[in-house]
């Protein structure tokens, strides 16, 4: 026999491995089909290595260990919980808002039971799936009617398609924004079958610009919240209130894509001001859309509030069926909105507001508590300090405003950028990955979003 043939004969048969005592716990934990699937891949890998290098891979002396390793690494490769110490509270790539306990409980209840999603117990007939949530949204915002879809991008598409298909939509040049990904207002208009009519300039748009643009073919005047950028200097924009007065002369609606849409006045906690949907409804805007998982602090959802006649058009549009929210989203949103009925306990119970309102002093005290433990683990290579920093709200909310916060910072003693990259890699590879950010020659762990301090300590101690 050649060396290769001898080595091939050292690769055990699947059936004999499965009878091995070491494989019994694996079969129990991961199931027969997954263990066999991994074994096949590993056997192929071993054969390939023999062909390439005339030797068996090292792990061939312990197949059960290798299978266990592979299966646990794979089971980690999906959605993993991480410590968001990036300093951005509503981080789109990390799933934005954390749900309140009440919302989590509501979701888990509807997950395991049949529910009255489109069923009214009184009439024993078919109800409307947005009904309960819509009633709460109307109560909070003062709107006549409301509708919930998968996210705000869907809400914007649906408003345009239902109210303006085949007609013109007037938008200021300063508001033709890209939100991120492929969501750009001009493209969404095209998808919804509307014609975009740009008015004004990038920095200045006046009421007269809108007035000149209105014709028999105008379906609506649209405002888009420039949530993720800010222009300063010689600027002018027309408010919704002014637009409504103009639009009423021609009996056309004003529609606003508000983006974040906080349902409470954030300035009461010293946070920067953010336009609320209730203000726009009071100004006479016909439809306002916003996200469920930005400042509202709920599940991913797109919310449309406004005049009943337009919401009815939206509810009947075929795209509504394609974009509708599921029972878990509706349950989480309903429970979140109920928290707004008790404004005095809101900042304790709603994680988004709880995190946004943590003071720099509290966060700095937490950083000082943790500093010695991090210094113990990383102190040979890094100077670990407590430093003040600025957090961001994120998700395009209030892009220029920053919240005073505190961070643990790591400065490499060898002064090398590569040491920082290696450290951030080490932190990302922990059992519970820790995500920070590198800037100014240091790694920063902004502790604003650290609520599970004990878990972090455990992660670091391992
Ligand atoms: C965030 C945002 C959107 C997109 O909302 P999603 O809920 O992420 O789909 C659309 N418009 C504006 C102005 C936004 O800020």
């Amino acid at each position: 026999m050649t060396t290769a043939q001898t080595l091939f004969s050292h690769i055990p048969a699947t059936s004999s491995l499965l009878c091995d005592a070491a494989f019994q716990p694996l079969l129990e934990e991961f199931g027969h089909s997954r263990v066999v699937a991994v074994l096949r891949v590993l056997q192929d890998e071993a054969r390939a290595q023999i062909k390439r290098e005339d030797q068996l891979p090292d792990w061939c002396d312990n197949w059960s260990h290798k299978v266990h390793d592979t299966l646990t690494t794979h089971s980690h490769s999906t959605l993993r919980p991480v410590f968001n110490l990036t300093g951005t509270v509503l981080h789109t790539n990390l799933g934005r808002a954390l749900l309140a306990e009440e919302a989590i409980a509501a979701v888990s209840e509807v997950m395991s039971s049949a529910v009255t999603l489109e069923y009214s117990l009184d009439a024993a007939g078919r109800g409307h799936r947005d009904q309960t949530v819509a009633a709460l949204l109307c109560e909070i915002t003062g709107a006549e009617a409301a509708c919930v879809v998968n996210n705000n991008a869907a809400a914007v598409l649906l408003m345009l398609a239902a109210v303006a298909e085949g007609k013109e939509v007037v938008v200021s040049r300063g508001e033709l924004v890209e939100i991120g990904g492929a969501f750009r207002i001009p493209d969404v208009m095209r998808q919804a079958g509307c014609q975009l009519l740009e008015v004004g300039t990038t920095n200045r748009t006046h009421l007269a610009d809108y007035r000149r643009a209105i014709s028999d073919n105008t379906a609506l005047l649209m405002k888009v919240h420039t949530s993720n950028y800010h222009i300063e200097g010689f600027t002018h924009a027309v408010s919704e209130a002014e637009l409504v007065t103009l639009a009423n002369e021609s009996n056309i609606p004003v529609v606003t894509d508000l983006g974040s849409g906080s349902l409470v006045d954030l300035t009461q906690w010293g946070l920067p001001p953010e336009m609320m949907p209730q203000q726009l409804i009071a100004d006479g805007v016909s439809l306002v859309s916003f996200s469920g998982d930005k400042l509202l602090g709920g599940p991913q959802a797109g919310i449309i509030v406004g005049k009943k006649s337009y919401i009815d058009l939206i509810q009947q549009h075929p795209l509504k069926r394609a974009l509708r929210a599921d029972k878990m989203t509706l349950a989480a949103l309903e429970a979140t909105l109920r928290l707004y009925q008790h404004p005095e306990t809101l900042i304790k119970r709603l994680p988004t507001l709880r995190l946004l309102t943590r003071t720099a002093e509290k966060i700095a005290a937490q950083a000082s508590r943790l500093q010695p433990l991090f210094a113990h683990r990383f102190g040979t290579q890094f100077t670990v300090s407590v430093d003040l920093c600025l957090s961001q709200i994120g998700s395009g909310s209030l892009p220029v405003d920053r919240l005073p916060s505190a961070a643990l910072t790591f400065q490499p003693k060898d002064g090398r950028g590569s040491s920082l990259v290696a450290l951030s890699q080490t932190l990302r590879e922990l059992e519970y990955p820790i995500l920070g950010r590198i800037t100014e020659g240091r790694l920063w762990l902004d502790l604003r979003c650290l609520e599970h301090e004990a878990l972090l300590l455990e992660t670091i101690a391992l």
Side-chain angles (χ1 to χ4, degrees), residues 299-335:
Q300 178 188 303
I303 295 165
I304 309 171
V305 295
K307 301 224 163 91
K308 184 168 184 312
S309 54
Y310 296 113
I311 297 284
D312 285 347
L313 281 179
I314 289 171
Q315 289 287 8
Q316 288 151 21
H317 195 277
L319 267 182
K320 169 67 191 350
R321 175 63 178 77
L323 303 172
R324 72 183 184 186
D326 73 320
K327 64 176 181 176
M328 292 185 273
T329 301
L330 291 169
L333 187 56
E334 181 185 337

Side-chain angles (χ1 to χ4, degrees), residues 93-350:
N93 298 352
L94 301 179
R96 294 193 186 158
L98 310 180
L99 290 187
E101 277 172 31
E102 289 82 352
I104 296 165
V107 174
S108 94
E109 195 165 73
V110 300
M111 271 171 23
S112 56
S113 169
V115 291
T116 53
L117 181 61
E118 295 184 349
Y119 190 94
S120 117
L121 289 173
D122 313 339
R126 194 179 159 91
H128 180 310
R129 72 167 52 205
D130 298 346
Q131 243 160 21
T132 321
V133 165
L136 281 165
L137 284 165
C138 292
E139 182 190 312
I140 296 167
T141 64
E144 291 172 12
C147 161
V148 180
V149 286
N150 183 53
N151 54 23
N152 187 35
V156 174
L157 178 68
L158 184 54
M159 290 194 298
L160 291 170
V163 181
E165 194 185 352
K167 296 185 83 183
E168 281 173 3
V169 175
V170 183
V171 187
S172 161
R173 284 202 165 86
E175 297 173 8
L176 294 175
V177 297
E178 175 183 303
I179 301 303
F183 190 83
R184 300 166 134 199
I185 292 295
D187 299 339
V188 176
M189 294 267 176
R190 210 168 305 122
Q191 288 293 325
C194 320
Q195 279 156 314
L196 168 65
L197 195 65
E198 303 174 36
V199 296
T201 59
T202 308
N203 55 330
R204 286 169 72 83
T205 301
H206 304 279
L207 193 60
D209 296 319
Y210 288 97
R211 178 174 282 122
R212 270 196 299 276
I214 294 176
S215 71
D216 289 344
N217 205 24
T218 309
L220 53 89
L221 307 185
M222 185 177 191
K223 287 280 289 178
V224 182
H225 197 62
T226 53
S227 47
N228 53 8
Y229 83 104
H230 181 76
I231 54 168
E232 258 180 85
F234 190 52
T235 63
H236 188 262
V238 180
S239 73
E240 266 89 351
E242 292 171 278
L243 271 193
V244 167
T245 312
L246 173 66
N248 282 347
E249 291 169 16
S250 322
N251 213 10
I252 48 177
V254 173
V255 166
T256 298
D257 169 13
L258 190 53
S260 202
S262 172
L263 295 178
V264 281
D265 180 4
L266 298 174
T267 59
Q268 62 184 299
W269 298 292
L271 291 168
E274 171 75 17
M275 180 70 85
M276 294 186 286
Q278 43 270 58
Q279 289 169 274
L280 298 179
I281 293 295
D283 286 343
V285 172
S286 294
L287 292 171
V288 182
S289 80
F290 49 98
S291 297
D293 55 352
K294 293 186 182 172
L295 285 170
L296 195 151
Q300 178 188 303
I303 295 165
I304 309 171
V305 295
K307 301 224 163 91
K308 184 168 184 312
S309 54
Y310 296 113
I311 297 284
D312 285 347
L313 281 179
I314 289 171
Q315 289 287 8
Q316 288 151 21
H317 195 277
L319 267 182
K320 169 67 191 350
R321 175 63 178 77
L323 303 172
R324 72 183 184 186
D326 73 320
K327 64 176 181 176
M328 292 185 273
T329 301
L330 291 169
L333 187 56
E334 181 185 337
T336 306
L337 291 171
R338 289 201 189 284
L339 299 180
Y340 282 87
Q341 293 178 312
H342 305 280
E344 62 292 344
T345 56
L346 194 60
I347 67 162
K348 271 207 216 107
R349 292 154 84 187
L350 196 68

Side-chain angles (χ1 to χ4, degrees), residues 357-423:
T357 54
R358 289 187 73 199
T359 62
E361 294 74 44
K362 276 236 168 87
I363 303 169
Q366 184 180 38
S368 303
R369 276 199 301 278
L370 294 172
Q371 189 273 343
L373 292 123
F374 277 84
H376 178 73
R377 165 108 189 229
F378 300 103
T380 43
Q381 275 187 284
F382 298 90
T383 309
V384 183
S385 336
V386 175
D387 281 283
L388 295 179
C389 65
L390 295 170
S391 314
Q392 267 181 291
I393 295 175
S395 279
S397 309
L398 314 156
V400 284
D401 294 296
R402 295 281 189 275
L403 311 173
S405 183
L408 285 170
T409 64
F410 301 76
Q411 191 163 22
K413 290 184 173 165
D414 63 10
R416 287 194 176 162
S418 57
S419 307
L420 283 178
V421 174
L423 174 63

Side-chain angles (χ1 to χ4, degrees), residues 15-31:
S15 54
S16 68
L17 283 173
L18 292 180
C19 295
D20 190 323
F23 269 76
Q24 301 322 302
L26 291 176
L27 291 168
E28 206 148 283
E29 184 175 351
F30 300 101

